[in-house]
Amino acid sequence: ADLAQRGVLAVQQGRGTFVRHGAVDYPIGRKTRFTEIVTGQQRHAARRLLRAIETPAGTASAAALGIETGAPCFMLETLDEVDGIPIGLCSHHFPVARVPGLIDAYIETGSITGALARHGLGDYERRRTTVTARMPTAEEAALLRQPRDQPVLLIESLNVDRDGRPLEYGIARSVAERVTMVFET
């Protein structure tokens, strides 16, 4: 009871008692890079690629990327982990016309920034971040190893190149209790 009161343990009715890991402070600014943010806090960052496909742009991704609905896009779906614990399930959308070969570059480098750098676009910046909350789907909860009755943060982002042209549209579902969003101005 003392450890739960101090925040070291989390007691979940009907599920058990779990060790709480400190939330990751996740600053959102012009340069938002997952690995740099996590390793800067002396923690271990890992991004696991779940799937990488070429797909037609949906309405939301097409609007964000400034392309026609149905235009070819690459979509990388990743599971972001900190110290071996999942914190985010992310879908990254890129216009194929701007970054041909992106999937192969990502597989070779293991990094979105590294893959974009191979196309001369490693110096991208965050233009917009929108954060809302919702309950996770069964699949999201399973991948994130979290209960279905606890919300995820839904984080939509748009990254642009040095000329301000849209480059990446992202949708992250992050475990609310494992991430503290910090907006830098």
Side-chain angles (χ1 to χ4, degrees):
D2 179 54
L3 291 174
Q5 187 174 23
R6 288 190 285 154
V8 175
L9 298 177
V11 179
Q12 296 179 3
Q13 188 71 24
R15 292 195 69 230
T17 303
F18 304 88
V19 176
R20 278 189 196 257
H21 299 275
V24 174
D25 287 338
Y26 203 89
I28 303 295
R30 286 183 38 242
K31 304 277 186 175
T32 300
R33 309 287 193 267
F34 169 70
T35 301
E36 291 176 18
I37 288 168
V38 174
T39 58
Q41 295 174 51
Q42 285 69 54
R43 299 181 79 174
H44 177 72
R47 175 170 273 164
R48 186 165 35 119
L49 182 62
L50 301 178
R51 67 184 176 140
I53 60 172
E54 183 175 325
T55 185
T59 305
S61 58
L65 293 170
I67 58 178
E68 291 186 28
T69 300
C73 271
F74 289 126
M75 194 274 289
L76 303 177
E77 187 170 55
T78 62
L79 184 65
D80 293 351
E81 298 177 335
V82 175
D83 300 332
I85 298 168
I87 66 161
L89 177 61
C90 309
S91 301
H92 309 270
H93 303 262
F94 305 88
V96 169
R98 300 239 13 237
V99 287
L102 178 81
I103 291 175
D104 291 335
Y106 179 82
I107 290 169
E108 290 172 19
T109 65
S111 158
I112 289 173
T113 301
L116 291 173
R118 290 198 174 175
H119 290 85
L121 300 166
D123 196 30
Y124 60 93
E125 293 184 351
R126 181 69 55 101
R127 172 173 284 163
R128 181 181 73 236
T129 303
T130 305
V131 181
T132 56
R134 67 166 170 76
M135 300 311 273
T137 66
E139 180 183 11
E140 291 167 344
L143 285 167
L144 293 168
R145 297 194 321 239
Q146 79 154 55
R148 289 233 23 226
D149 64 352
Q150 292 183 3
V152 292
L153 299 175
L154 184 66
I155 305 156
E156 292 185 70
S157 60
L158 179 64
N159 288 316
V160 298
D161 65 16
R162 277 181 254 142
D163 298 325
R165 293 176 46 212
L167 181 60
E168 176 198 6
Y169 170 65
I171 303 170
R173 285 83 68 201
S174 294
V175 180
E177 70 176 16
R178 298 179 197 154
V179 178
T180 301
M181 304 295 290
V182 180
F183 293 90
E184 298 179 340
T185 56

